[in-house]
PDB file of all heavy atoms in Angstrom:
ATOM      1  N   GLY A 130      -2.610  -4.213  -6.501  1.00  0.00           N
ATOM      2  CA  GLY A 130      -4.002  -4.721  -6.691  1.00  0.00           C
ATOM      3  C   GLY A 130      -5.047  -3.687  -6.411  1.00  0.00           C
ATOM      4  O   GLY A 130      -6.210  -4.063  -6.160  1.00  0.00           O
ATOM      5  N   CYS A 131      -4.689  -2.438  -6.480  1.00  0.00           N
ATOM      6  CA  CYS A 131      -5.605  -1.402  -6.049  1.00  0.00           C
ATOM      7  C   CYS A 131      -6.862  -1.307  -6.901  1.00  0.00           C
ATOM      8  O   CYS A 131      -7.963  -0.963  -6.487  1.00  0.00           O
ATOM      9  CB  CYS A 131      -4.929   0.007  -6.002  1.00  0.00           C
ATOM     10  SG  CYS A 131      -4.362   0.666  -7.575  1.00  0.00           S
ATOM     11  N   LEU A 132      -6.742  -1.710  -8.211  1.00  0.00           N
ATOM     12  CA  LEU A 132      -7.920  -1.654  -9.050  1.00  0.00           C
ATOM     13  C   LEU A 132      -8.828  -2.887  -8.882  1.00  0.00           C
ATOM     14  O   LEU A 132      -9.858  -3.016  -9.527  1.00  0.00           O
ATOM     15  CB  LEU A 132      -7.487  -1.566 -10.552  1.00  0.00           C
ATOM     16  CG  LEU A 132      -6.642  -0.327 -10.897  1.00  0.00           C
ATOM     17  CD1 LEU A 132      -6.429  -0.250 -12.442  1.00  0.00           C
ATOM     18  CD2 LEU A 132      -7.328   0.945 -10.406  1.00  0.00           C
ATOM     19  N   LEU A 133      -8.451  -3.736  -7.934  1.00  0.00           N
ATOM     20  CA  LEU A 133      -9.307  -4.860  -7.531  1.00  0.00           C
ATOM     21  C   LEU A 133     -10.035  -4.541  -6.244  1.00  0.00           C
ATOM     22  O   LEU A 133     -10.757  -5.388  -5.693  1.00  0.00           O
ATOM     23  CB  LEU A 133      -8.464  -6.117  -7.321  1.00  0.00           C
ATOM     24  CG  LEU A 133      -7.678  -6.678  -8.465  1.00  0.00           C
ATOM     25  CD1 LEU A 133      -6.789  -7.808  -8.009  1.00  0.00           C
ATOM     26  CD2 LEU A 133      -8.668  -7.190  -9.581  1.00  0.00           C
ATOM     27  N   THR A 134      -9.876  -3.331  -5.725  1.00  0.00           N
ATOM     28  CA  THR A 134     -10.427  -2.975  -4.404  1.00  0.00           C
ATOM     29  C   THR A 134     -11.921  -3.171  -4.295  1.00  0.00           C
ATOM     30  O   THR A 134     -12.393  -3.769  -3.295  1.00  0.00           O
ATOM     31  CB  THR A 134     -10.079  -1.471  -4.066  1.00  0.00           C
ATOM     32  OG1 THR A 134      -8.648  -1.321  -4.013  1.00  0.00           O
ATOM     33  CG2 THR A 134     -10.664  -1.070  -2.756  1.00  0.00           C
ATOM     34  N   GLU A 135     -12.669  -2.683  -5.241  1.00  0.00           N
ATOM     35  CA  GLU A 135     -14.150  -2.855  -5.166  1.00  0.00           C
ATOM     36  C   GLU A 135     -14.500  -4.334  -5.239  1.00  0.00           C
ATOM     37  O   GLU A 135     -15.387  -4.792  -4.510  1.00  0.00           O
ATOM     38  CB  GLU A 135     -14.786  -2.050  -6.262  1.00  0.00           C
ATOM     39  CG  GLU A 135     -16.317  -1.985  -6.155  1.00  0.00           C
ATOM     40  CD  GLU A 135     -17.013  -3.149  -6.848  1.00  0.00           C
ATOM     41  OE1 GLU A 135     -16.413  -3.720  -7.752  1.00  0.00           O
ATOM     42  OE2 GLU A 135     -18.162  -3.462  -6.536  1.00  0.00           O
ATOM     43  N   TYR A 136     -13.851  -5.037  -6.151  1.00  0.00           N
ATOM     44  CA  TYR A 136     -14.127  -6.492  -6.308  1.00  0.00           C
ATOM     45  C   TYR A 136     -13.872  -7.236  -4.998  1.00  0.00           C
ATOM     46  O   TYR A 136     -14.759  -7.939  -4.519  1.00  0.00           O
ATOM     47  CB  TYR A 136     -13.243  -7.047  -7.416  1.00  0.00           C
ATOM     48  CG  TYR A 136     -13.484  -8.493  -7.697  1.00  0.00           C
ATOM     49  CD1 TYR A 136     -14.322  -8.899  -8.787  1.00  0.00           C
ATOM     50  CD2 TYR A 136     -12.882  -9.478  -6.962  1.00  0.00           C
ATOM     51  CE1 TYR A 136     -14.566 -10.221  -9.018  1.00  0.00           C
ATOM     52  CE2 TYR A 136     -13.043 -10.838  -7.211  1.00  0.00           C
ATOM     53  CZ  TYR A 136     -13.914 -11.211  -8.236  1.00  0.00           C
ATOM     54  OH  TYR A 136     -14.129 -12.575  -8.505  1.00  0.00           O
ATOM     55  N   LEU A 137     -12.697  -7.072  -4.459  1.00  0.00           N
ATOM     56  CA  LEU A 137     -12.331  -7.806  -3.272  1.00  0.00           C
ATOM     57  C   LEU A 137     -13.139  -7.418  -2.029  1.00  0.00           C
ATOM     58  O   LEU A 137     -13.607  -8.208  -1.252  1.00  0.00           O
ATOM     59  CB  LEU A 137     -10.859  -7.625  -2.986  1.00  0.00           C
ATOM     60  CG  LEU A 137      -9.903  -8.176  -4.019  1.00  0.00           C
ATOM     61  CD1 LEU A 137      -8.432  -7.777  -3.687  1.00  0.00           C
ATOM     62  CD2 LEU A 137      -9.963  -9.710  -4.152  1.00  0.00           C
ATOM     63  N   THR A 138     -13.301  -6.096  -1.858  1.00  0.00           N
ATOM     64  CA  THR A 138     -14.026  -5.586  -0.692  1.00  0.00           C
ATOM     65  C   THR A 138     -15.499  -6.065  -0.676  1.00  0.00           C
ATOM     66  O   THR A 138     -15.995  -6.513   0.357  1.00  0.00           O
ATOM     67  CB  THR A 138     -14.003  -4.017  -0.642  1.00  0.00           C
ATOM     68  OG1 THR A 138     -12.630  -3.608  -0.621  1.00  0.00           O
ATOM     69  CG2 THR A 138     -14.705  -3.490   0.598  1.00  0.00           C
ATOM     70  N   THR A 139     -16.089  -5.998  -1.848  1.00  0.00           N
ATOM     71  CA  THR A 139     -17.549  -6.371  -1.911  1.00  0.00           C
ATOM     72  C   THR A 139     -17.703  -7.890  -1.789  1.00  0.00           C
ATOM     73  O   THR A 139     -18.573  -8.343  -1.062  1.00  0.00           O
ATOM     74  CB  THR A 139     -18.092  -5.862  -3.245  1.00  0.00           C
ATOM     75  OG1 THR A 139     -17.984  -4.463  -3.332  1.00  0.00           O
ATOM     76  CG2 THR A 139     -19.589  -6.259  -3.368  1.00  0.00           C
ATOM     77  N   ARG A 140     -16.924  -8.631  -2.503  1.00  0.00           N
ATOM     78  CA  ARG A 140     -17.124 -10.058  -2.564  1.00  0.00           C
ATOM     79  C   ARG A 140     -16.650 -10.804  -1.299  1.00  0.00           C
ATOM     80  O   ARG A 140     -17.106 -11.921  -0.953  1.00  0.00           O
ATOM     81  CB  ARG A 140     -16.486 -10.697  -3.788  1.00  0.00           C
ATOM     82  CG  ARG A 140     -17.080 -10.134  -5.104  1.00  0.00           C
ATOM     83  CD  ARG A 140     -16.463 -10.827  -6.306  1.00  0.00           C
ATOM     84  NE  ARG A 140     -16.891 -12.197  -6.409  1.00  0.00           N
ATOM     85  CZ  ARG A 140     -18.004 -12.651  -6.942  1.00  0.00           C
ATOM     86  NH1 ARG A 140     -18.861 -11.765  -7.516  1.00  0.00           N
ATOM     87  NH2 ARG A 140     -18.307 -13.911  -7.033  1.00  0.00           N
ATOM     88  N   TYR A 141     -15.647 -10.206  -0.599  1.00  0.00           N
ATOM     89  CA  TYR A 141     -15.105 -10.866   0.582  1.00  0.00           C
ATOM     90  C   TYR A 141     -15.362 -10.081   1.862  1.00  0.00           C
ATOM     91  O   TYR A 141     -14.874 -10.488   2.916  1.00  0.00           O
ATOM     92  CB  TYR A 141     -13.565 -11.037   0.394  1.00  0.00           C
ATOM     93  CG  TYR A 141     -13.243 -12.076  -0.672  1.00  0.00           C
ATOM     94  CD1 TYR A 141     -13.033 -11.725  -2.002  1.00  0.00           C
ATOM     95  CD2 TYR A 141     -13.162 -13.420  -0.310  1.00  0.00           C
ATOM     96  CE1 TYR A 141     -12.724 -12.691  -2.919  1.00  0.00           C
ATOM     97  CE2 TYR A 141     -12.858 -14.411  -1.257  1.00  0.00           C
ATOM     98  CZ  TYR A 141     -12.625 -14.000  -2.588  1.00  0.00           C
ATOM     99  OH  TYR A 141     -12.347 -14.994  -3.513  1.00  0.00           O
ATOM    100  N   GLN A 142     -16.169  -9.051   1.829  1.00  0.00           N
ATOM    101  CA  GLN A 142     -16.571  -8.316   3.020  1.00  0.00           C
ATOM    102  C   GLN A 142     -15.356  -7.895   3.846  1.00  0.00           C
ATOM    103  O   GLN A 142     -15.238  -8.097   5.030  1.00  0.00           O
ATOM    104  CB  GLN A 142     -17.491  -9.179   3.904  1.00  0.00           C
ATOM    105  CG  GLN A 142     -18.759  -9.587   3.194  1.00  0.00           C
ATOM    106  CD  GLN A 142     -19.634  -8.406   2.777  1.00  0.00           C
ATOM    107  OE1 GLN A 142     -20.062  -7.652   3.590  1.00  0.00           O
ATOM    108  NE2 GLN A 142     -19.841  -8.262   1.459  1.00  0.00           N
ATOM    109  N   LEU A 143     -14.404  -7.208   3.125  1.00  0.00           N
ATOM    110  CA  LEU A 143     -13.202  -6.732   3.730  1.00  0.00           C
ATOM    111  C   LEU A 143     -13.435  -5.412   4.428  1.00  0.00           C
ATOM    112  O   LEU A 143     -14.302  -4.627   4.082  1.00  0.00           O
ATOM    113  CB  LEU A 143     -12.080  -6.587   2.713  1.00  0.00           C
ATOM    114  CG  LEU A 143     -11.792  -7.764   1.791  1.00  0.00           C
ATOM    115  CD1 LEU A 143     -10.706  -7.462   0.810  1.00  0.00           C
ATOM    116  CD2 LEU A 143     -11.437  -9.043   2.618  1.00  0.00           C
TER     117      LEU A 143
END
Side-chain angles (χ1 to χ4, degrees):
C131 66
L132 299 186
L133 299 172
T134 297
E135 188 273 336
Y136 181 97
L137 296 174
T138 303
T139 301
R140 297 185 70 86
Y141 289 94
Q142 300 300 298
L143 308 179

